[in-house]
Structure formats: structure tokens, C-alpha cells
Amino acid sequence: MPEQTRTEHTFCRICESLCGLEVEMSGNKVLKIRPDNNHVATRGFGCPKGLKQHHLFNSPDRLKYPMQREGTTWKRVSWDDANQQIGAKVKQIIEENGPDSIAMYVGTAAGFSVLHPAFAQGFMDAIGSKSMYATASQDCGNKFSAAYHMYGFPFTQPFPDLFKTNCMIVVGANPVISKWSFLQVPNPSKHLKEMEARGCKIYFIDPRKTESTKIAGEHVFIRPGTDIFFYLAFLNELIAQQGINEERVAQHMKGLDTLKELASHWTPEKAETVTHIPAKILREMVANYLKANGACMYSSTGVNMGANGTLAFWIQECINAISGNLDKSGGTLVSKGVIDFPKFASKNGILTKQDKSRIGNFTKVNDAFPGGVLADEILSPGKKQIRALFVTGGNPLITMPNSNRLREAFGKLDLLVSLDILPGETASIGHFMLPCTSPLQRPDLPFIFPLMLGLQAKPYLQATKRIVEPEGEQRDEATIYLDLAKAAGVSLFGSKIAQRLLEWAKRRHTKKLPASAQPALPQESILSLLLRITRQGSFKKLLTKKHGAIQEAHKENSFLGQRVYTADGLVNLAPEKLVEQTKLLELLYQKELDTQSRFKLITKRAVTTHNSWTHNFEEFVANERYTNYLYMHTQDMERLGLENKQLVDVTSATATVRLPIKFLDDLMPGTVALPHGWGHQHSLLSVAGKTKGVNVNILSADGPENLERASGMAHLTGILVDIAPAAGPLSPDSWSGLPQDKLPSFTILEDR
Ligand SMILES: Nc1nc2c(c(=O)[nH]1)N[C@H]1C(S)=C(S)[C@@H](COP(=O)(O)OP(=O)(O)OC[C@H]3O[C@@H](n4cnc5c(=O)[nH]c(N)nc54)[C@H](O)[C@@H]3O)O[C@H]1N2
Ligand SMILES: Nc1nc2c(c(=O)[nH]1)N[C@H]1C(S)=C(S)[C@@H](COP(=O)(O)OP(=O)(O)OC[C@H]3O[C@@H](n4cnc5c(=O)[nH]c(N)nc54)[C@H](O)[C@@H]3O)O[C@H]1N2
Ligand code: SF4
Ligand SMILES: [Mo]
């Protein structure tokens, strides 16, 4: 008899929008996913990735059993065997080389779960290793670093009060495609249109006329990588137009004089020579910003990845602060999640560790070292040399700088373990792949940004149970780390009591499960405990609010003088570490002047991608989408004598990639765009593996001298490149830029 269909409510955990979803199911099978029209905040919004995620999860490649590689063959192993072997290796490496030789890379997918990142960190604490790496140094580490210096805590992140702002300047973000980052606002197009309709002045500062700029606001081109000069000129002009709120500054901030002195060198005319933003437009922008009752500047990855992200973000925050827009309705707000997390965490030394990296002497940001020194840390002999790496919900081989070098380094590891749902590029070259539950297979709460920090335009809470049962031997990451800690003879969170208590809870919970189920921690109970400690009621109770539970709205005047956790409680407008970096600005400016005639390469996301892992579904790579393209303005193509779809070589300081070119007149001439997240040819992914795209991160440089000093951010946009018709030894078949002999080809045994 066919099973009856039923509807389950949950929310998407692929990107920061966390869209409410209605899932039509039959038995354990997802038939269809619809946006939840009655969701309190996301109100019927969803994107192709979220609504088709079941196809990504139902792939025949989906990991179901622990796998171990022998030579070029992957075979199935039992959990006991995998844990025992990994545990023994971890013990051996600790004995021989110390705990810091065991590293971990926490990827984006981990960030969207509550328990996964907490238990991953707990495992590193168990080992006693400081060698933590995360996506932040490819994404937003600059924001964390600047916030730490200015506000005393990296996660203190003021965000635009979208519903009330009267002027918003968006720099290096494309919310219509990517949704917002550091702010949960589902359905960006609708919000942007509504904002404009009520008279809000919107600017997009971007080297490409993006999908967002076509929805609302005014677009202003900027030469990639020159944002810092735009911000400094904006500050210079803001001071000239007497836009400082002296009273607010005197009461809550320090360092204004240093800031003024710095800005005095950067007139709109001087900045224009490198940013290409006309001084007249900049002056108008400043006037509109100052005229508005409630204005804000917001930036995202286009600025973060541009080699000067920390300085740029710092100046942006200073502009919002000194103009009186910080902590003001219509400006930027600093919200609270379920607790005052910055207070709790800074008191307990969470996310504020100041360890230094062995290579490059970088200070940790958010308790993690820069990914751009990971290859060096693996390849450079000595005490603390990294010999083992756990990759948890990430795919660094595609997403980090200088992928070829990273591939070489990963090949030298004694142990590379991936906790993933798919056998992606990083997992494919490792020693063990551990099969995890997908988002639909785990109970959850909104991740740390909304939960702990309230980074939501409209605050709400929601709980979801697991709606799809795991298949084969898939396990949740928290349970995996508990078992790995036991196998390595260490205690999660560095606490014997915690380890024993969690093992007991796991045994007790597993007894209640059907005999065929995998052992598991009681995830719902742990999440419930978190809610109860923070006085939010129980998980079960929250589950009954299947469309989400609205929380109190954010308030202005609730941050300055109250929740700034610097030593003196003042916002530091001129942190020494950042001011020191400004000495390099003249040099940088000169370098920009010297390279005006060269191409700069930027990124470009698509609605069907999420970094590197959504190409394993036929529909998302159908027809022309079988590869990525180099996008170029027709004017530049004509100048170089290139034709649409022609194969070209793109060469940076590190490598060359070969791929087809497409014209795109939305680009600023002199700028080319190349989407990231491609280059799957040599993974075990059956659909993505047949695509032709190239990994753009072969073109970005790693190593201490190529990273942004203050935050360790990789330089992934605004990269200088040369472009020429395809010629020479690169094989047109590979298009990947990797020498054929360096590419391992793996097989997977059928018995999985
Ligand atoms: N050139 C260039 N490079 C970039 C960027 C760019 O714009 N340009 N963007 C950067 C940004 S913003 C980021 S955040 C990084 C991303 O860097 P990564 O986090 O390294 O990359 P993802 O592709 O998001 O990898 C997610 C991995 O998690 C797996 N996964 C999915 N769901 C789950 C789950 O529930 N559990 C587990 N265990 N695994 C799961 C996926 O299969 C995939 O392997 O890349 C950065 N790299
Ligand atoms: N569809 C889709 N959605 C995603 C993702 C995805 O891969 N695909 N990734 C998710 C993740 S992990 C993140 S962090 C967010 C990121 O979300 P966003 O930060 O909004 O990322 P992008 O859409 O890449 O927008 C960056 C913009 O910066 C511009 N830009 C490039 N270089 C420069 C520069 O030097 N200066 C300035 N001013 N602008 C520049 C680009 O043209 C682009 O329009 O998106 C998330 N959402
Ligand atoms: S925008 Fe798409 S991927 Fe992001 S949460 Fe919503 S449905 Fe999921
Ligand atoms: Mo990201």
C-alpha cells in the first residue's frame, strides 16, 4: 500500500536566510519542498537551492558509511574500525609531535548547525590543540578583527536597521543572489523595493552592475580592491561637511583625532584616481547620508576579500559611529540573541584567544588561524608541524587560496579525515570520509548569528526536529566527535565529567532508539538545555510554533555605554593595531596607480551555487552551466580581439587556468569575473565530476606575505591577471590548470 503523504515544517540551513519550509513527505522520502507562506519572518520565500536540497541530499554519491582509502581505492569500514584507527593515529601524532600537530578546518556547513561547531571545538579542546582554521579567513575575518579592536568582541556586529533606514550604502554585496550576510533578511528583492518605495536612498558600490542594483537604488562602479580609499575619502568628506555628532563621540568613543588626521590625507579627488568614483558623486553620497534621519553603510565579501578588508571595515564602522548612526533607529543596531553573548564569551575567553601562528606570526581571529598559512604549517618541518587535519563541513581544496599548493600539502598529511555528506574534492584525497547527517536529518535551532547575536532584521526563534531519518550508518557530528574523543583517549571540551556525562546520555538515548538506528546523542535534549539555560522555554514547546516565534524587536540606544566590552567601555575609533597598518596606504595607492592598465579579477555567485557543493545535481549544471566562464566587458574583448565562448588563459602570479569567455557589459571595463566553487573533475562526485569548470582559487596566493596582516584574510577578489587566447601546453580537456600527472584518480568500491 502506498504510504500517505504528510507535511512537515522545518527551516533551511544552507544560507543565512534560514527560510521557513514546508516539506511534503511520504515515509522517509521528501517529495517536494515549498516555502512556508505562514512563517513569521521568511513569509513564503525560498530559493532554488533550498527548495531542491533533497535532490542534493538524495544523490547516489551521498555518503552512507565510513570509508577508508587504500591507495586509490576507497572501501567501506565499520565505525568502530574507523574510530579506532583515527584515535590511534591521533594518539601517536600527539605523542610524537604534540597536540598542535592536529589541525581542524571548520567549513560553512558546520556554521549553520548549533551543535556541530560546538562539538568540533570541543574535540580540539579535548586534544589540547590550538591549530584551528575556519572559513572566516576566506569570508569575513576582517569584520571579526575590526570588531574585536573597536568594540572588544569579534561578534559585536552592528547591522543596518533595514526597516527604518533612510539611506543605505551597500559596498561589495549582492543580496539578491547571495541574500544578506551578517544579517538575516529573507527575500532581499522585496525588501529593497519596499525600502526604495518609502523613499530610502540606496547606493551599491560594486565593480559589476549586479542583480541587486537592477532591483533598486543607484549603482556606482568602483575599481576592485580600492574600497579602503573610497571609505577614507568618504570620511574626509563627512568631516568636511561637518557630519560628526560631537556629543555622541565625546560620550561613547575615543580616538577621533587620530582618525581625523588619517582622513585628512584622502580627499575625494585623490581617491578618485584609483577608485574611479567621481569626487562629485562621492560628495553627493555623503550629503545624502548626512541628510537622512537614520543612515547606514554596509559591506560584505567584495570588501572583505579585497586585501584591505579590515581597514575598510574599520573606517566604515567609524563613519557609522561618528555620524551618530550607530545604535540609532534607521542606522545600525547591535542586537541581543538569547543571552548577552559578547559579555558571556569575553568573560570566559571564548572567541578572543590571542594565540600566534607558527608561520607568519598571525594572531588568531575568532579563535582561528588564517587558512592561507595552512599549507605552510603542513609543509614546514619543526615542532608543531601539522600532520593531521579534520575537515568538518568544508571543502578547503576548492575554497581556500592557492589550491594547487594546498593539494600538495594535503598529500603529505599522515591523517586527513573529512566529516561530510558528500565525497567532495577535499574528502576524495583524504584517508577517511565520515558520513554525516544532512540538515534535514538533524534537529536544530537557528545558528549562532541569530541565536546568540540576534542578527535578524525581524527577530524570531524557531526549532526544528529531524524530518528525514538517517540512511545506512550516517551519524550526527556531535556524536562522531564524542566517539572520536573516546577512541583517542581524550575528553570532549577537555573535561572528563563532560565526556562521561555525554557518553552516558548517548547510551541512554540509544537504548530508546530502534535496534537498526545508529548510536546518537540526544540532540534535542542538548538543544533544549541551551534554551532552558537562556530562559527560552523548552525545545518541545518551541517546536509547537511551527512557523517560528517572534521575539522582541531590536532597540536603539541599547549598545553604547552599555554593551561595549572594551576595557574602558568606549568604542575605540583608532585601535593601535589598525592605525599601524595605515602606514602602508601610500604604497598601496602607488601600486594601484601603477597597475591601472591591468585586469582585476573578481568573484561572481549564482543562485544555484553554494560555494563548492551544489554542482552535483544535473539540473544545476545543465546546458551552458556545465562550466564556469570568465566574464568580460565587450569593450575589453574587442580590444583583445576575443570572441564569445572562446577559450582563454587567465594568468595570475600563481598559475594559469583555461576556460571559455563570455561577454558581460554589466562589468566595469578592466574588471573580469570568474565564479568560484568549480574544479570538480577529480572528485568522486558523479555529476559534478563531469563538469568542466576551473577552480579560480588556483589563481590566488597563499603564504604569510599574501594575507591581510590584521585579520589573516585571503586576497580572493581584485586579483591582478593577464588574459590571452588559449595557447600552449595546458590541456584543453582538463581546463583545470592542474598538470595531468598531479591529478590522482580515485575509485570507490561498489559495496558501500
Ligand atoms: N575565489 C573565491 N573563493 C571563495 C569565495 C569567493 O567568493 N571567491 N567565497 C568564500 C566564502 S564566503 C566561504 S564561506 C568559503 C566556503 O568554504 P568551505 O566551507 O570550505 O566550502 P563549502 O563549499 O561551503 O563546503 C561545504 C562542505 O560541507 C559539506 N556539507 C554540506 N552540508 C553538510 C552537513 O550538514 N554536515 C557536514 N558535515 N557537511 C556538510 C558539503 O558537502 C561541502 O563539502 O569559500 C570562500 N572561497
Ligand atoms: N547563491 C549563492 N548564495 C550564497 C553563496 C553562494 O555561493 N551562492 N554563498 C554564501 C556565503 S558563504 C556568503 S559569505 C554570502 C556572501 O554574500 P555577499 O557578500 O553578498 O557575496 P557576493 O554575492 O559574492 O557579493 C559580493 C559583491 O562584491 C562585488 N565585488 C567584488 N570585488 C569587489 C571589490 O573589490 N570592491 C567592491 N566594492 N565590490 C566588489 C562583487 O561584484 C559582488 O557583487 O553569500 C551566501 N549566499
Ligand atoms: S535563500 Fe535559499 S539556500 Fe538560503 S535559506 Fe532560503 S531557501 Fe535556503
Ligand atoms: Mo561565506
Side-chain angles (χ1 to χ4, degrees), residues 149 258 314 572-583:
H149 292 297
T258 311
W314 159 46
N572 190 354
L573 300 171
E576 213 175 301
K577 191 159 178 197
L578 304 187
V579 173
E580 197 185 292
Q581 297 302 311
T582 61
K583 287 182 198 140

Side-chain angles (χ1 to χ4, degrees), residues 107-398:
T108 334
F112 289 107
S113 153
V114 172
L115 297 182
H116 182 169
F119 278 73
Q121 179 65 55
F123 179 65
M124 291 297 274
D125 293 342
I127 291 173
S129 168
K130 296 192 198 74
S131 303
M132 195 64 156
Y133 297 81
T135 45
S137 56
Q138 297 120 260
D139 176 346
C140 52
N142 61 315
K143 289 189 170 184
F144 294 139
S145 170
Y148 174 73
H149 292 297
M150 293 180 72
Y151 310 123
F153 189 66
F155 272 19
T156 298
Q157 293 289 339
F159 61 84
D161 184 10
L162 280 194
F163 296 119
K164 297 197 185 129
T165 189
N166 289 308
C167 176
M168 180 168 69
I169 301 173
V170 179
V171 194
N174 187 12
V176 166
I177 296 296
S178 301
K179 321 303 171 273
W180 298 86
S181 187
F182 281 63
L183 178 60
Q184 191 206 355
V185 202
N187 205 345
S189 306
K190 183 168 154 262
H191 280 103
L192 287 169
K193 279 184 196 155
E194 282 173 2
M195 287 163 72
E196 197 164 56
R198 66 170 165 74
C200 175
K201 183 88 194 155
I202 305 171
Y203 290 99
F204 286 98
I205 317 295
D206 202 298
R208 177 167 71 90
K209 222 173 266 168
T210 61
E211 295 79 356
S212 305
T213 67
K214 290 176 185 173
I215 292 285
E218 202 170 305
H219 173 248
V220 180
F221 275 130
I222 184 166
R223 170 97 168 144
T226 64
D227 298 278
I228 179 60
F229 302 110
F230 158 68
Y231 280 112
L232 285 166
F234 196 104
L235 179 62
N236 176 298
E237 182 60 22
L238 183 132
I239 295 166
Q241 293 191 25
Q242 294 176 352
I244 299 179
N245 183 329
E246 302 281 355
E247 198 188 319
R248 216 164 163 92
V249 173
Q251 207 178 346
H252 298 297
M253 304 168 204
K254 65 173 182 189
L256 181 66
D257 289 343
T258 311
L259 196 66
K260 277 184 170 169
E261 202 286 319
L262 172 65
S264 67
H265 303 276
W266 301 97
T267 60
E269 281 73 17
K270 181 169 177 184
E272 177 180 349
T273 54
V274 290
T275 61
H276 297 242
I277 296 178
K280 183 171 167 285
I281 304 248
L282 187 121
R283 291 202 163 93
E284 265 170 40
M285 223 185 288
V286 174
N288 281 328
Y289 177 92
L290 290 177
K291 198 169 70 189
N293 179 14
C296 55
M297 289 187 115
Y298 164 88
S299 58
S300 195
T301 57
V303 174
N304 303 349
M305 299 177 189
N308 290 291
T310 309
L311 297 189
F313 184 70
W314 159 46
I315 302 300
Q316 169 187 294
E317 291 300 284
C318 287
I319 290 167
N320 285 333
I322 65 172
S323 61
N325 282 306
L326 168 61
D327 200 20
K328 175 184 154 85
S329 185
T332 58
L333 300 175
V334 183
S335 60
K336 254 194 234 168
V338 293
I339 50 164
D340 187 346
F341 185 63
K343 183 176 181 181
F344 169 79
S346 41
K347 257 193 187 162
N348 294 291
I350 299 171
L351 300 175
T352 51
K353 296 195 179 78
Q354 299 293 296
D355 307 317
K356 303 271 186 194
S357 63
R358 178 175 71 114
I359 308 290
N361 202 33
F362 284 92
T363 310
K364 269 189 173 171
V365 171
N366 250 15
D367 287 2
F369 289 126
V373 296
L374 182 56
D376 284 311
E377 294 279 9
I378 297 171
L379 294 170
S380 317
K383 216 172 142 238
K384 298 188 182 179
Q385 178 180 9
I386 289 172
R387 289 179 47 193
L389 177 68
F390 287 82
V391 174
T392 200
N395 194 6
L397 209 50
I398 298 279

Side-chain angles (χ1 to χ4, degrees), residues 581-646:
Q581 297 302 311
T582 61
K583 287 182 198 140
L584 296 171
L585 284 174
E586 282 296 342
L587 211 70
L588 251 159
Y589 174 74
Q590 195 52 49
K591 196 175 158 210
E592 285 300 331
L593 286 179
D594 294 345
T595 51
Q596 294 280 310
S597 61
R598 293 194 60 196
F599 282 108
K600 282 209 176 179
L601 180 123
I602 63 166
T603 54
K604 184 176 180 297
R605 287 171 212 261
V607 271
T608 46
T609 62
H610 196 79
N611 300 316
S612 73
W613 67 277
T614 56
H615 293 139
N616 202 38
F617 169 41
E618 282 89 353
E619 193 181 310
F620 285 180
V621 291
N623 306 320
E624 291 220 326
R625 285 186 291 195
Y626 72 101
T627 177
N628 51 357
Y629 296 86
L630 180 81
Y631 295 93
M632 188 186 257
H633 195 284
T634 333
Q635 203 177 302
D636 289 327
M637 278 175 67
E638 281 168 4
R639 187 163 54 82
L640 298 187
L642 298 171
E643 285 180 18
N644 217 21
K645 308 272 178 76
Q646 177 176 349

Side-chain angles (χ1 to χ4, degrees), residues 542-751:
L542 190 56
L543 268 183
T544 63
K545 309 264 186 201
K546 58 186 183 183
H547 308 293
I550 281 288
Q551 304 280 94
E552 204 187 334
H554 305 307
K555 289 195 196 83
E556 64 174 347
N557 298 323
S558 67
F559 172 64
L560 293 173
Q562 299 171 58
R563 289 185 288 132
V564 181
Y565 296 117
T566 48
D568 51 13
L570 298 175
V571 171
N572 190 354
L573 300 171
E576 213 175 301
K577 191 159 178 197
L578 304 187
V579 173
E580 197 185 292
Q581 297 302 311
T582 61
K583 287 182 198 140
L584 296 171
L585 284 174
E586 282 296 342
L587 211 70
L588 251 159
Y589 174 74
Q590 195 52 49
K591 196 175 158 210
E592 285 300 331
L593 286 179
D594 294 345
T595 51
Q596 294 280 310
S597 61
R598 293 194 60 196
F599 282 108
K600 282 209 176 179
L601 180 123
I602 63 166
T603 54
K604 184 176 180 297
R605 287 171 212 261
V607 271
T608 46
T609 62
H610 196 79
N611 300 316
S612 73
W613 67 277
T614 56
H615 293 139
N616 202 38
F617 169 41
E618 282 89 353
E619 193 181 310
F620 285 180
V621 291
N623 306 320
E624 291 220 326
R625 285 186 291 195
Y626 72 101
T627 177
N628 51 357
Y629 296 86
L630 180 81
Y631 295 93
M632 188 186 257
H633 195 284
T634 333
Q635 203 177 302
D636 289 327
M637 278 175 67
E638 281 168 4
R639 187 163 54 82
L640 298 187
L642 298 171
E643 285 180 18
N644 217 21
K645 308 272 178 76
Q646 177 176 349
L647 278 186
V648 290
D649 285 347
V650 184
T651 303
S652 72
T654 54
T656 298
V657 295
R658 180 167 298 174
L659 79 168
I661 191 166
K662 259 193 186 182
F663 70 82
L664 181 68
D665 286 349
D666 291 335
L667 281 165
M668 184 178 194
T671 298
V672 288
L674 210 175
H676 76 292
W678 292 83
H680 309 293
Q681 292 81 359
H682 303 279
S683 68
L684 293 162
L685 299 167
S686 56
V687 177
K690 294 197 187 80
T691 58
K692 288 279 190 182
V694 302
N695 179 0
V696 65
N697 284 333
I698 291 173
L699 298 177
S700 48
D702 71 337
E705 66 286 1
N706 294 307
L707 305 179
E708 200 223 35
R709 219 341 102 185
S711 66
M713 273 295 289
H715 181 188
L716 300 173
T717 191
I719 299 171
L720 287 169
V721 290
D722 296 313
I723 291 145
L730 268 187
S731 152
D733 286 327
S734 97
W735 290 3
S736 68
L738 281 170
Q740 285 294 327
D741 60 346
K742 284 217 173 147
L743 293 172
S745 200
F746 296 114
T747 51
I748 201 151
L749 288 183
E750 281 307 314
D751 72 340

Side-chain angles (χ1 to χ4, degrees), residues 126 491-500:
S491 300
L492 270 192
F493 306 103
S495 155
K496 280 192 179 136
I497 298 173
Q499 179 76 21
R500 269 196 226 126

